[in-house]
Amino acid sequence: MKPTASTGRRLTQNKIATSCCVPQSLPIIMKGMRGAQILEAAGRALYGDRWQTPIARDLGTTYRTIRNWLAGQHAPPNDLRIRLEVLLRERGLAIEAVLELIDTTEDESRKQ
């Protein structure tokens, strides 16, 4: 299956796949968000509802630190957006690799 806009798969080799479920306005919305809001949005996108412990591990911090950032008791570090972007892009590349594997498998199945 070739990538198309209707399948929500990537249209060019240089862009990370985007989900059909992510609103196109999300990048615009995120520009005005605080660090804690971005942290929560990224955490839910990466790990689902139980996101705080896994994101703490991947950011190299503790669950308690994540909770403190969310509660406003401590400010998230200045590089949080960059670190979250790295995690999101890595996950996007992993998802894209699986999509390519699915496409390859589908193509091989059709040939048989």
Side-chain angles (χ1 to χ4, degrees):
M1 172 186 275
K2 296 293 179 193
T4 65
S6 63
T7 62
R9 296 196 183 152
R10 136 184 115 159
L11 297 174
T12 66
Q13 291 293 331
N14 297 328
K15 293 185 180 179
I16 292 179
T18 57
S19 169
C20 62
C21 303
V22 176
Q24 298 244 344
S25 60
L26 187 60
I28 295 167
I29 294 168
M30 288 185 71
K31 284 186 180 181
M33 294 174 80
R34 294 182 6 250
Q37 292 171 315
I38 291 172
L39 174 63
E40 183 172 356
R44 288 185 185 282
L46 288 165
Y47 310 105
D49 290 338
R50 300 177 63 85
W51 61 273
Q52 293 175 355
T53 298
I55 205 165
R57 179 194 62 237
D58 289 348
L59 290 174
T61 191
T62 66
Y63 168 81
R64 176 54 45 204
T65 299
I66 297 295
R67 299 290 300 155
N68 287 337
W69 291 345
L70 293 171
Q73 293 175 350
H74 300 285
N78 292 333
D79 68 343
L80 179 64
R81 289 174 189 239
I82 294 167
R83 293 164 64 190
L84 291 173
E85 182 178 353
V86 168
L87 290 175
L88 290 161
R89 290 188 185 279
E90 287 174 351
R91 179 65 57 93
L93 291 172
I95 290 169
E96 184 60 30
V98 174
L99 288 171
E100 293 293 328
L101 181 62
I102 290 169
D103 287 345
T104 302
T105 305
E106 285 178 3
D107 290 344
E108 289 174 2
S109 296
R110 288 185 183 145
K111 289 179 184 177
Q112 295 177 358

